[in-house]
Amino acid sequence: METHSVLSFTVALLGFLSPCLTRLTPRVSFPFGSPGRHLTRFSSYDVSNTTTLLLSEDGDVLYVGARDAVLALDVGHKDVITLRNKLDWRPSDKDLEQCSMKGKEMADCPNFIRVLQFLNASHIYACGTFAFSPRCTYVNSETLTMSIRPDEGRGRCPYDPYQRNTAIIVDGELYTGTVADYRGNRPVISRHLSEGRRVDLKLDDTLGWLEDPTFISSSFIPDEEKVYFFFSEVGREYDFIDKFIVSRVSQICMSDVGGQRTLQRRWTTFAKAQLLCQADNELPYNVIQDIDTLPPAEGASTDETLFYGIFTSQWSVNSGRSAVCSFRLSDIKSVFSGNYKVLNRDTLQWSTRVQEKVANPGECGLHNASDNALRFVKENFLADDSVRPVGRSLTMASAEHKYSHLTVQRVQAANNREYTVLFLLTETGYLHKSVLLQSGAHIIEEVQVFERPQPVKSLKLSVPKGVIYVGTSEGVVRLPTANCSFYWTCAQCVLARDPFCGWDTASRACVEASNTQTSVAQDIERGNVEETCNTVTLTHIARFGPNKMSAASCPTGELVPVALNEVVRLQCPAASKLSRQLWERPNSRLSSDLYLHLGDGSLSFVATPATLGHYLCLSTENGYQQTMAIYHVRQKSSPVVQTTSSYTRPRTRPTLATQAVSRSGSGQHTTGFWPEPKETRRQDTEPTQSTRDTQGVPRQRGKNVTLWTLGSGQNESGFVEGEPLPSARYPCYLKELVVVSVLLVLCLSLLITVLMYVIRQRCRRRTAPHAVTPSRESDRRTPLEQEALRRNQCLNKRTGLSPHSGQAGGSGCNGALTGSNGHLPNTPI
């Protein structure tokens, strides 16, 4: 528990001391399907899980290991990828049934090709998982047919399609790092296809040389005659309660044939060391994700070989972050030639005790050594020191993007200086193109390769062809490494700081630096536009005229007719993601009390006599300014029929469509490419009285201006362009107020009168005596009872006993009761 507490305190302390990572923002972003970045795709309804890519030496054929198939794609044409041949290699129904009986999902039982290597000039060696029973075979590279029947692939290919592995063929022999059993508990680094006096070799399973590894990559160094393996595993040398993952590099010699008595058919030159991707006062990035080898420059020593790797961290403090570290071959060799840790077989504890060396672990030629020397190297295979990154610092680190794959290329710029360019693939489907400068990493662009994130299995770079191939679960995507034609001005070409591209003053175009014989303008380190393009940044006086002339001398841009008290929002397009938008006015300051600078670079304010006039939007990047938009905000001249300026921006290239042209090659610079506005007539309905009182109603004025009506108060007088309106009057609404008040009083009086009448009627009904009228009870009497009742009423009236006598009632009774002879009916005469 004490060790665990110390570890937790150390992690917390290092996390607190860790400095904030520099935010790496791609300068230009190309969404999926953007016309500014051309991509070529290959997909087919019966092709999926392109897990392995192999490129021919001439770069015209791409061999793809997919699910149940090996493909040969013709990639020699620029704009299309076609299927040349296809080898179907799928398990039988019996194999699939056995795989299902082992408890595996049917989706994992097909044959996933995981090994694809050139054996010689005519054949390819291929291995697949084959329903959790690995198989390997020889494939003719021309006809894509099997030369022999597939044989067992145990120890050459993983059983599980989700387990990572690595394989490389050197001089006809296969060197692999994978697992050798069905459960994945026996990791091995082995050699196969040995002939003659050479025998196949592997690691001793009982020595614990590997601790639950995840194999990443392997690389062959010809001058060293060694094969290096890169993987991550559990670091048993650290006595932590939780499993601590470490990244490793291991080596074996090609001349190794095993010991005569000790370590028979086992490696005698195996050694491993820790790769430490860590900066000062920071937690280490201890989990390796991918690694690529960069050969030395022409004429340089093999020791200058660099290995660039992507690392992540298992610590929650660095969760979601990625780092890139580079390791020099000379540093790896120095660690392997140093001291080694000692493993106590009884306690399984490592110690750094230095003891007398009987042999040098990792040294080639130990197969003829004595048994005592072989026992020493058998137990001392872990280097005491760790391999530190170049410069003892991170090559680049990102807190926003989590990278999964990378490939690296050395590019020679126009000044004959070489730069390292990294192509990094994020887990969200973006490919970042980054150049390493003295000041740090600079991400030139990002390209969205996939519309939806999906598993990426491989990344292949073709330096001669200048393209990158990305293998996904759905197919293959190809994109060129250079995109110089996208930058159509000298300023943009220089600000990109792309070693592939330079500005050709003769053709006035941004071209690939390696494809032109003439000198091109570049400034990769600083990106200085003024010096490189021989241009001068416009000053405030140059933009608005000398001696602070009036606003009328400002260049005309887009006219924005507004009404007073409306909220105006002026858009400002960004030249790039690294640019910063600025707003200026002639002879005026943009006070924070009147103007609001929004996060997207736009400017918002309320239209008043003080805020009418010209506005200029500027984009600043790396000390270079360029005009992006010019607006002239003016008051409407008529409440009904208005004369406004219709303005349409010229159609240019995507994402920078509104950028100002900078004629840098000839030393000319313009403030914008807006022509003189053309006056057009347009009907615009004036808001009614009810809508004038409504606040916050948006109205679009073109695509770059949004107006919001705050309330009444339009001035119907005319406006002289370029002059303020200090004497502008607000309209009076006294008459309207009086009319509304009188109407309100009348409505209230009428409402009170109606209410009193209704109340009075209800009171009368409740207090009035009941009249002798037919009721519901009379309706319920029989006809005889009703006739008798009428007789009684008439008799009472005749005798004067009726309290409610009347003329109409008497006549009614007489008419009802008296017959034709004047006597009562049904009475005897």
Side-chain angles (χ1 to χ4, degrees), residues 439-575:
S439 58
H442 167 66
I443 302 181
I444 302 171
E445 63 179 4
E446 68 173 359
V447 184
Q448 187 178 5
V449 184
F450 318 115
E451 187 175 6
R452 295 178 301 273
Q454 54 184 285
V456 177
K457 300 302 182 181
S458 56
L459 201 64
K460 199 71 175 179
L461 172 64
S462 176
V463 176
K465 297 292 185 178
V467 294
I468 296 178
Y469 298 96
V470 183
T472 72
S473 59
E474 297 179 357
V476 178
V477 179
R478 179 182 65 186
L479 70 158
T481 57
N483 191 31
C484 303
S485 60
F486 175 76
Y487 311 106
W488 63 96
T489 66
C490 181
Q492 290 300 316
C493 189
V494 173
L495 289 173
R497 303 166 82 174
D498 190 342
F500 289 97
C501 305
W503 182 259
D504 188 1
T505 56
S507 60
R508 300 186 60 79
C510 193
V511 297
E512 293 190 33
S514 59
N515 294 342
T516 179
Q517 302 297 330
T518 60
S519 60
V520 294
Q522 273 186 340
D523 191 356
I524 307 301
E525 288 292 342
R526 298 183 302 164
N528 194 316
V529 176
E530 297 182 10
E531 295 182 4
T532 308
C533 297
N534 298 324
T535 185
V536 179
T537 302
L538 288 181
T539 62
H540 183 85
I541 297 177
R543 285 192 297 266
F544 293 114
N547 301 324
K548 297 183 179 181
M549 297 179 64
S550 63
S553 62
C554 183
T556 305
E558 181 177 356
L559 295 183
V560 183
V562 299
L564 295 179
N565 291 342
E566 284 185 311
V567 175
V568 184
R569 182 174 178 178
L570 304 180
Q571 302 288 345
C572 183

Side-chain angles (χ1 to χ4, degrees), residues 230-241:
F230 299 91
F231 55 94
S232 61
E233 65 173 357
V234 178
R236 297 297 182 185
E237 68 270 27
Y238 297 97
D239 189 15
F240 295 158
I241 295 179

Side-chain angles (χ1 to χ4, degrees), residues 61-95:
V61 180
L62 180 67
Y63 298 95
V64 180
R67 184 178 69 178
D68 295 333
V70 177
L71 312 177
L73 302 180
D74 186 358
V75 293
H77 303 282
K78 183 179 180 180
D79 298 328
V80 66
I81 299 177
T82 58
L83 179 63
R84 176 181 292 184
N85 287 317
K86 180 181 179 182
L87 170 64
D88 290 322
W89 185 17
R90 63 182 68 246
S92 62
D93 295 339
K94 182 178 180 181
D95 295 327

Side-chain angles (χ1 to χ4, degrees), residues 387-403:
V387 183
R388 302 277 178 172
V390 176
R392 299 290 181 118
S393 62
L394 308 179
T395 301
M396 64 176 292
S398 175
E400 301 86 17
H401 310 286
K402 191 172 183 180
Y403 298 115

Side-chain angles (χ1 to χ4, degrees), residues 199-408:
V199 294
D200 292 346
L201 298 179
K202 64 178 182 178
L203 295 180
D204 195 325
D205 301 333
T206 62
L207 298 179
W209 285 354
L210 297 175
E211 298 287 347
D212 193 16
T214 299
F215 293 99
I216 301 299
S217 178
S218 55
S219 179
F220 168 62
I221 307 300
D223 293 345
E224 296 292 324
E225 293 187 352
K226 293 181 180 180
V227 177
Y228 291 91
F229 291 87
F230 299 91
F231 55 94
S232 61
E233 65 173 357
V234 178
R236 297 297 182 185
E237 68 270 27
Y238 297 97
D239 189 15
F240 295 158
I241 295 179
D242 297 331
K243 291 183 179 180
F244 179 61
I245 307 298
V246 295
S247 298
R248 303 286 197 195
V249 55
S250 67
Q251 66 160 31
I252 52 97
C253 295
M254 293 180 56
S255 59
D256 197 345
V257 293
Q260 296 179 0
R261 289 177 296 273
T262 303
L263 295 178
Q264 289 185 1
R265 294 184 176 272
R266 300 293 187 269
W267 293 109
T268 63
T269 58
F270 174 79
K272 67 180 181 180
Q274 180 180 358
L275 292 174
L276 190 58
C277 182
Q278 181 183 16
D280 294 338
N281 298 327
E282 288 189 6
L283 288 172
Y285 293 85
N286 56 321
V287 182
I288 187 173
Q289 301 293 332
D290 194 17
I291 200 162
D292 192 25
T293 305
L294 181 64
E298 186 177 356
S301 172
T302 307
D303 291 345
E304 298 300 319
T305 302
L306 296 176
F307 302 96
Y308 284 87
I310 297 176
F311 295 82
T312 57
S313 177
Q314 75 176 105
W315 309 108
S316 58
V317 176
N318 290 338
S319 178
R321 298 180 178 179
S322 295
V324 177
C325 285
S326 60
F327 303 92
R328 188 176 284 109
L329 178 60
S330 59
D331 296 333
I332 297 177
K333 292 170 58 178
S334 176
V335 170
F336 280 135
S337 61
N339 296 324
Y340 282 75
K341 296 182 183 296
V342 179
L343 177 63
N344 189 330
R345 290 295 177 181
D346 297 331
T347 63
L348 297 180
Q349 296 293 324
W350 291 90
S351 64
T352 57
R353 176 175 57 86
V354 179
Q355 63 181 13
E356 181 183 357
K357 280 188 176 182
V358 180
N360 293 323
E363 182 181 1
C364 297
L366 292 177
H367 53 277
N368 293 324
S370 62
D371 292 344
N372 188 26
L374 292 180
R375 279 194 295 270
F376 180 83
V377 300
K378 178 180 178 180
E379 298 180 358
N380 298 269
F381 52 85
L382 178 59
D384 185 32
D385 199 5
S386 300
V387 183
R388 302 277 178 172
V390 176
R392 299 290 181 118
S393 62
L394 308 179
T395 301
M396 64 176 292
S398 175
E400 301 86 17
H401 310 286
K402 191 172 183 180
Y403 298 115
S404 60
H405 291 74
L406 92 162
T407 184
V408 60

Side-chain angles (χ1 to χ4, degrees), residues 804-817:
H804 303 289
S805 60
Q807 185 67 25
S811 62
C813 290
N814 294 332
L817 299 178

